[in-house]
Amino acid sequence: MSPILGIWASSIQPSLSAGSFESIATVTVGAGGTSSITFTSIPQTYTHLQLRWMVRSTYADVTSWQNMTFNAAFNSGTTGYVDHYLRGNGSTASSGFENLQNKINYGESTGANSGANMFGVGIIDILDYSNTNKNKTVRMLDGHDQNGSGAIFLRSGLWASTSAITSIYLGNSDYSANFAQYSSYALYGIKGA
Amino acid sequence: MAVTYDKIATTTLGSAQTTVSFSSIPQTYTDLIVIINAKANTGGVIGQLAQFNGDTGANYSFTYLNGNGSSASSGRVTGTTNQAWADLAGSSTSPNTIIAQINNYSNSTTYKTTISRGSDANNVAQAIVGLWRSTAAITSILLFPNSGIQFASGGTFTLYGIKAA
């Protein structure tokens, strides 16, 4: 069976939930993995978005960085992404910065060489995603522990664009790697008053 | 219509208590969030610990990141019998808030990873990632301060479930 080249999750209209925090769409990776995940046609009726994830990569290492773009796929030429992070790796606290890249690093997952059943997890908040008067701010918390290795991250990201976010593209930093089976992403919308 | 972000249970302590537990956790959600606002009933800052499903074996580990107002540090504990979520405020200070998030708690395929943040303005800002090396679905959570210390009266502990589409 050929591997799935990508999973596209169209928005599910909010018929499954009520209130200020609503589920928009969910993706769980099946056998064979997938190279990318995309949320499209994101409703513009919320104030903020939250993306909750659990990922293991097929990248041949114990870690793999995960990337995100808005409204355009990786390597489409879009730039204007910036991110900072504060990292604890179990022995040292450190910080990093990426400026004017073509993607945001939103998380570090486990990789193919990690122990079985180990996944990285994270939560991404995209604030005022539909506002066309603001650049887009992203707040991220992620990490993985592998009982002897691992890291915890606090991150902030910027997409220097006032465009409303209508789609989110997610993939491995190493474009040849896939999201492994059982990886999952769940997109939620948060309504303001 | 189904609720996406749902309060499952809450406890407010009427007296000092050694443990707080959430049991018979419904398996109908996708993620769990535990929000704690509490402090220890004696002494200084102490670790806030957790166990799942009554597992007291050395099946836990965690990696932490601390900022104490003058420096940032990181450390790790491996192969231990409990998982730290954050430091708990000492008895002479105000309660602090700890938020722990457990994604995909009910699957029976992956190990369970918890991400927590602790906010103790008198002491430290923290983020911790913890691993429970079990593929079992989480059905109960036991919370307790380190070293046999008790939670002070008035502490609140709330369990939420988040349900994906």
Side-chain angles (χ1 to χ4, degrees), chain A residues 13-171:
Chain A
Q13 293 306 307
S15 62
L16 301 178
S17 60
S20 301
F21 193 97
E22 297 184 353
S23 178
I24 298 173
T26 302
V27 173
T28 301
V29 178
T34 186
S35 62
S36 64
I37 289 172
T38 306
F39 291 93
T40 63
S41 302
I42 297 172
Q44 299 298 296
T45 52
Y46 301 101
T47 302
H48 310 304
L49 298 175
Q50 185 173 91
L51 191 59
R52 304 177 67 90
W53 58 269
M54 184 182 76
V55 167
R56 183 181 176 103
S57 171
T58 63
Y59 183 62
D61 200 340
V62 293
T63 63
S64 177
W65 279 53
Q66 306 302 322
N67 300 145
M68 171 171 61
T69 56
F70 302 120
N71 296 3
F74 301 135
N75 286 332
S76 64
T78 303
T79 58
Y81 296 97
V82 182
D83 63 77
H84 289 76
Y85 65 84
L86 180 61
R87 174 178 184 247
N89 69 354
S91 61
T92 305
S94 62
S95 183
F97 165 58
E98 294 181 309
N99 189 28
L100 298 179
Q101 298 292 303
N102 60 355
K103 57 192 182 297
I104 287 176
N105 289 316
Y106 70 81
E108 182 173 281
S109 71
T110 56
N113 297 342
S114 299
N117 308 315
M118 294 181 178
F119 284 67
V121 298
I123 299 157
I124 302 168
D125 290 310
I126 306 170
L127 308 175
D128 291 320
Y129 74 103
S130 63
N131 190 309
T132 56
N133 296 308
K134 298 179 181 180
N135 290 334
K136 304 304 177 286
T137 299
V138 185
R139 184 182 73 168
M140 299 155 276
L141 172 65
D142 69 279
H144 59 93
D145 185 277
Q146 304 188 39
N147 191 34
S149 66
I152 177 79
F153 289 83
L154 296 168
R155 308 177 193 257
S156 64
L158 168 71
W159 181 36
S161 170
T162 58
S163 298
I165 293 174
T166 58
S167 57
I168 302 171
Y169 293 75
L170 306 158

Side-chain angles (χ1 to χ4, degrees), chain A residues 147, chain B residues 49-62 77-84 131-134 142 144:
Chain A
N147 191 34
Chain B
L49 307 177
Q51 289 174 336
F52 301 113
N53 294 11
D55 184 2
T56 58
N59 299 314
Y60 303 87
S61 55
F62 53 93
V77 178
T78 60
T80 187
T81 57
N82 49 66
Q83 184 177 94
L131 179 70
W132 179 42
R133 296 189 312 284
S134 171
L142 181 70
F144 51 98

Side-chain angles (χ1 to χ4, degrees), chain B residues 39-155:
Chain B
K39 65 178 182 178
N41 77 323
T42 183
V45 172
I46 197 77
Q48 152 64 53
L49 307 177
Q51 289 174 336
F52 301 113
N53 294 11
D55 184 2
T56 58
N59 299 314
Y60 303 87
S61 55
F62 53 93
T63 300
Y64 60 85
L65 175 63
N66 289 349
N68 66 4
S70 61
S71 65
S73 63
S74 179
R76 175 176 294 122
V77 178
T78 60
T80 187
T81 57
N82 49 66
Q83 184 177 94
W85 283 3
D87 284 344
L88 191 67
S91 59
S92 63
T93 61
S94 299
N96 68 306
T97 299
I98 299 169
I99 301 175
Q101 317 230 15
I102 311 168
N103 290 3
N104 298 91
Y105 75 101
S106 64
N107 82 73
S108 56
T109 305
T110 69
Y111 287 166
K112 304 305 180 288
T113 299
T114 302
I115 284 194
S116 56
R117 291 190 63 181
S119 304
D120 181 359
N122 293 302
N123 176 42
V124 68
Q126 294 177 299
I128 301 178
V129 57
L131 179 70
W132 179 42
R133 296 189 312 284
S134 171
T135 57
I138 293 175
T139 58
S140 65
I141 302 172
L142 181 70
L143 305 171
F144 51 98
N146 203 358
S147 303
I149 303 295
Q150 291 184 314
F151 292 116
S153 175

Side-chain angles (χ1 to χ4, degrees), chain B residues 20-45:
Chain B
V20 171
S21 66
F22 296 106
S23 59
S24 301
I25 296 173
Q27 299 298 297
T28 51
Y29 299 99
T30 305
D31 302 335
L32 296 177
I33 299 177
V34 180
I35 298 179
I36 300 167
N37 185 258
K39 65 178 182 178
N41 77 323
T42 183
V45 172

